[in-house]
Amino acid sequence: MSGELPLECAHLARELAGLRATTGLSLAGLAARTTASKSSWQRYLGGTQIPPPELVTELCALAGEPPARLLALRELAELSRRHPHPGPASPAPAEPGPEPVPGTTGPGTGEEPPAAGTPEAERPHASLTEPAPAPAPVPFFRRRKVALAGAGALATAAMVAGALLLGGAGEKPEDSGLWPGCVGERCRGKDSQQQGCGLKGSGMRTVAEREFGRQTVVELRYSPSCRASWVRVRFGAVGDRIEITGPDKESQSAEVADKFDAQNYLPTPMLAGGPEGMTACLVQAGSGERHCFGR
């Protein structure tokens, strides 16, 4: 098998590298924030291995990118590894030419007869035999069947990828066809981005929002397709904590741990239900002041 990287794998590697550049993280930083090691990321970004879908989703979440398109590209890359494009067919064996007639000379033999009286003339000539039959070629229908199987798999993946890519392009959520990773109680404590609840096209909406200071914004968000709620903060200060509390007083929280969190969106894990009765809170670092609001 050729050592050349399949086109689909090279495309996926370029897209993953672009997302990593968007995060601004080194390989060590990427390893610290995901479930893959530094050496694994080197292989994934170099295209020599295909990352699992969960890892693609983790990288997309760090870059703030919906994972549907990258997951479709990953599927194409994996199928291209399973069903490589067929290479050029080997040339057919040359048909044997006409057999030379014993005792004749000229262009058909390329030899002159030995002179009379010489040892070569008295030496008996080897008998002419039929050439060995060429090995039977692989039946055409079998080659065609294998090639069509690989092409069919790639075509199916292309259709799936097209549906995913086009689904994210619609302005109306109901036209996207995104399928959430969890619904209702199954979303409790899970990440909204990784489950597809916080993606464009999922029907997600911000139901309440408050600004604190010059740039910190806290949002109460809800996904009808997942039937779950969460809170996120944008441009918080290191040490800030956000919370979401349900009508039954169950809560989830997240803290701005470092500069990376402060410069990006930071969400809490989800609570099932809402947004009615949900409360969003910001506990500011340093002062400890608590600011809460609902829908």
Side-chain angles (χ1 to χ4, degrees), residues 19-286:
L19 285 182
R20 177 235 170 164
T22 300
T23 67
L25 293 172
S26 63
L27 288 177
L30 204 57
R33 291 182 172 274
T34 61
T35 54
S37 65
K38 178 180 176 181
S39 58
S40 294
W41 274 116
Q42 285 178 326
R43 293 190 291 271
Y44 297 147
L45 298 177
T48 56
Q49 285 188 6
I50 298 175
E54 296 81 8
L55 205 58
V56 173
T57 304
E58 289 179 32
L59 179 59
C60 287
L62 288 175
E65 178 79 9
R69 184 177 67 89
L70 268 295
L71 289 172
L73 292 177
R74 182 204 169 276
E75 185 69 15
L76 285 174
E78 186 168 331
L79 282 170
S80 72
R81 284 279 176 87
R82 294 179 185 172
H83 306 281
H85 297 293
S90 57
E95 295 186 4
E99 297 181 19
V101 179
T104 60
T105 61
T109 63
E111 296 182 0
E112 292 292 333
T118 62
E120 286 77 4
E122 298 174 358
R123 184 178 304 159
H125 292 283
S127 60
L128 296 174
T129 60
E130 293 288 335
V138 177
F140 171 75
F141 70 86
R142 190 190 306 169
R143 296 199 307 269
R144 185 170 181 268
K145 183 177 180 181
V146 172
L148 287 178
L154 288 175
T156 301
M159 292 173 62
V160 173
L164 286 171
L165 297 178
L166 293 177
E171 292 295 328
K172 297 181 180 180
E174 58 269 20
D175 293 338
S176 67
L178 291 179
W179 195 264
C182 65
V183 177
E185 293 296 326
R186 293 181 178 273
C187 293
R188 178 181 282 111
K190 294 182 179 179
D191 184 276
S192 58
Q193 196 79 1
Q194 293 184 8
Q195 298 300 316
C197 304
L199 303 180
K200 291 182 180 179
S202 67
M204 173 274 306
R205 62 180 183 268
T206 298
V207 297
E209 178 180 299
R210 295 288 187 277
E211 293 186 10
F212 300 94
R214 298 176 59 183
Q215 60 179 6
T216 301
V217 178
V218 177
E219 301 170 331
L220 175 60
R221 295 162 74 81
Y222 172 68
S223 169
S225 60
C226 294
R227 298 202 294 272
S229 304
W230 66 98
V231 169
R232 76 173 184 178
V233 62
R234 182 171 72 244
F235 302 128
V238 175
D240 282 354
R241 188 173 77 255
I242 52 173
E243 300 173 352
I244 180 171
T245 305
D248 58 357
K249 304 305 178 185
E250 180 186 4
S251 66
Q252 297 283 354
S253 64
E255 184 172 322
V256 180
D258 51 28
K259 183 179 179 181
F260 180 84
D261 284 346
Q263 293 176 347
N264 293 272
Y265 289 104
L266 176 69
T268 67
M270 293 185 285
L271 285 180
E276 294 80 7
M278 297 288 181
T279 301
C281 294
L282 169 68
V283 181
Q284 293 181 309

